[in-house]
Amino acid sequence: MHGDQRFWLWFQADWYETIIMTKSKPITEMKSIDWQHLEDLEIPVVSKAIAACGRMNMHAIMDFNCNWNDEVIAQFYAILHFDRERKTLQWSLQGKSFSVGYAQFDALLGFPGSDLDRPKIQDENVLEDGEMHYMYDRAYGDVDYATTSGLIPYYKILNQLLRFTITPKADNSDKISNMSRNLLARLGPNQPKFSVFDFIWEEIIICSFSPKKGCHYAPYIFHMSTEVTGLD
């Protein structure tokens, strides 16, 4: 396309201008978790939630810290092309084309190779509201499944930790939607491990074509981009 050299095609520029940049917060807020601070609280239910995240090998990615550039993240999502057969993400920056592979991105975020061999949450059906019943108790407020109302403290703490890390939210923070439900369920007792990176990979792809979602995972994407492109 002629004109704006940041984009390959006119509809990418249009998506950037009319979908991404019209949101009140185009880039979803992300935070890193200070596990030591939480441990020092010495609150049993908090310690239980910390242990659950550790059991699923989520500590490192949840305390991952990387400053990012909003413009780079917004452009990434506007341009992103994904190839499911080859398992690659392709984008451009400063007029140059770049790509990252599934295993390469996994390694750049510090996941062990074994993470990719684990079951994929995204292969599951989204939990129905009623299937979350065991996460709620009227002792903690009016029960409203698939929201934070009535969640028992263990799941409420986990949801608060996840909403700024693995399942960031750009809109109604009281709602527990889509695969956020399944992820929360996987952190219950006696649940098998799953591929944390695959969850993030699939959510990045979903964000790239969903007009309702913000631009999630900015620290992870910016870190990957600087490593792959060599550009800051």
Side-chain angles (χ1 to χ4, degrees), residues 77 82 84 122 179 201-211 213:
Y77 273 106
F82 53 91
R84 285 204 175 276
Q122 298 286 358
M179 283 299 172
W201 173 274
E202 290 295 332
E203 288 294 308
I204 288 173
I205 292 173
I206 291 169
C207 287
S208 74
F209 60 75
S210 173
K213 287 184 175 287

Coordinates of all heavy atoms in Angstrom, one line a residue, residues 77 82 84 122 179 201-211 213:
Y77 N -0.4 -6.2 16.4 CA -1.7 -6.8 16.3 C -2.4 -6.4 15.0 O -3.2 -7.2 14.5 CB -2.5 -6.4 17.5 CG -2.3 -7.4 18.7 CD1 -1.6 -7.0 19.8 CD2 -2.9 -8.7 18.7 CE1 -1.4 -7.9 20.9 CE2 -2.7 -9.5 19.7 CZ -2.0 -9.1 20.8 OH -1.8 -10.0 21.8
F82 N -1.0 -15.2 11.1 CA -0.5 -16.5 11.7 C -0.7 -17.6 10.7 O -1.7 -17.7 9.9 CB -1.3 -16.7 13.0 CG -2.8 -16.7 12.9 CD1 -3.5 -17.8 12.6 CD2 -3.5 -15.5 13.0 CE1 -4.9 -17.8 12.5 CE2 -4.9 -15.4 12.9 CZ -5.6 -16.6 12.6
R84 N -1.1 -21.5 10.8 CA -1.3 -22.6 11.8 C -0.6 -23.8 11.4 O -0.1 -24.6 12.2 CB -2.8 -22.9 11.9 CG -3.6 -21.8 12.7 CD -4.8 -22.4 13.3 NE -5.5 -21.5 14.2 CZ -5.2 -21.3 15.5 NH1 -4.2 -22.0 16.0 NH2 -5.9 -20.5 16.2
Q122 N -6.8 -25.0 25.1 CA -7.6 -24.5 24.0 C -8.3 -25.6 23.2 O -9.1 -25.3 22.4 CB -6.7 -23.6 23.1 CG -6.2 -22.3 23.8 CD -7.2 -21.3 24.0 OE1 -8.3 -21.4 23.6 NE2 -6.8 -20.2 24.6
M179 N -12.0 -19.0 27.9 CA -11.0 -20.0 28.4 C -10.4 -19.6 29.7 O -9.7 -20.4 30.4 CB -9.9 -20.2 27.4 CG -10.3 -21.1 26.2 SD -10.8 -22.7 26.8 CE -11.4 -23.5 25.3
W201 N -0.2 -18.4 23.3 CA -0.1 -18.3 21.8 C -1.4 -18.3 21.2 O -1.7 -17.4 20.4 CB 0.7 -19.6 21.4 CG 0.7 -19.8 19.9 CD1 -0.2 -20.5 19.2 CD2 1.8 -19.5 19.0 NE1 0.2 -20.6 17.8 CE2 1.4 -20.0 17.7 CE3 3.0 -18.9 19.1 CZ2 2.2 -19.8 16.6 CZ3 3.8 -18.7 18.0 CH2 3.4 -19.2 16.8
E202 N -2.3 -19.1 21.7 CA -3.7 -19.1 21.1 C -4.5 -17.9 21.4 O -5.2 -17.3 20.6 CB -4.5 -20.4 21.6 CG -3.9 -21.7 21.0 CD -4.1 -21.8 19.5 OE1 -5.1 -21.2 19.0 OE2 -3.3 -22.5 18.9
E203 N -4.3 -17.3 22.6 CA -4.9 -16.1 23.0 C -4.4 -14.9 22.2 O -5.2 -14.0 21.8 CB -4.8 -15.8 24.5 CG -5.6 -16.7 25.4 CD -7.1 -16.5 25.2 OE1 -7.5 -15.4 25.3 OE2 -7.8 -17.5 24.9
I204 N -3.1 -14.9 21.8 CA -2.6 -13.8 21.0 C -3.3 -13.9 19.6 O -3.7 -12.8 19.1 CB -1.1 -14.0 20.8 CG1 -0.3 -13.6 22.1 CG2 -0.5 -13.1 19.7 CD1 1.1 -13.9 22.1
I205 N -3.4 -15.1 19.1 CA -4.1 -15.2 17.8 C -5.5 -14.7 17.8 O -6.0 -14.0 16.9 CB -4.0 -16.7 17.3 CG1 -2.5 -17.1 17.0 CG2 -4.9 -16.9 16.1 CD1 -2.3 -18.5 16.6
I206 N -6.2 -15.1 18.9 CA -7.6 -14.7 19.0 C -7.7 -13.2 19.1 O -8.6 -12.6 18.5 CB -8.3 -15.4 20.3 CG1 -8.4 -16.9 20.0 CG2 -9.6 -14.8 20.6 CD1 -8.8 -17.7 21.3
C207 N -6.8 -12.6 19.9 CA -6.9 -11.1 20.0 C -6.6 -10.4 18.7 O -7.2 -9.3 18.5 CB -5.8 -10.7 21.0 SG -6.1 -11.0 22.7
S208 N -5.9 -11.1 17.8 CA -5.5 -10.4 16.6 C -6.7 -10.2 15.6 O -6.7 -9.4 14.7 CB -4.4 -11.2 15.9 OG -4.9 -12.4 15.3
F209 N -7.8 -11.0 15.8 CA -8.9 -10.9 14.9 C -10.2 -10.6 15.6 O -11.3 -10.5 15.0 CB -9.1 -12.1 14.0 CG -9.3 -13.4 14.7 CD1 -10.5 -13.7 15.3 CD2 -8.3 -14.4 14.8 CE1 -10.7 -14.9 15.9 CE2 -8.5 -15.6 15.4 CZ -9.7 -15.9 16.0
S210 N -10.2 -10.4 16.9 CA -11.4 -10.1 17.7 C -11.5 -8.6 17.9 O -10.6 -8.0 18.7 CB -11.4 -10.8 19.0 OG -12.5 -10.4 19.8
P211 N -12.5 -7.9 17.4 CA -12.6 -6.5 17.5 C -12.9 -6.0 18.9 O -12.7 -4.9 19.3 CB -13.7 -6.1 16.5 CG -14.5 -7.3 16.4 CD -13.5 -8.5 16.5
K213 N -11.6 -7.4 21.7 CA -10.4 -7.6 22.7 C -9.4 -6.5 22.5 O -9.2 -6.0 21.4 CB -9.8 -9.0 22.4 CG -10.6 -10.1 22.9 CD -9.9 -11.4 22.7 CE -10.6 -12.6 23.3 NZ -10.6 -12.6 24.8

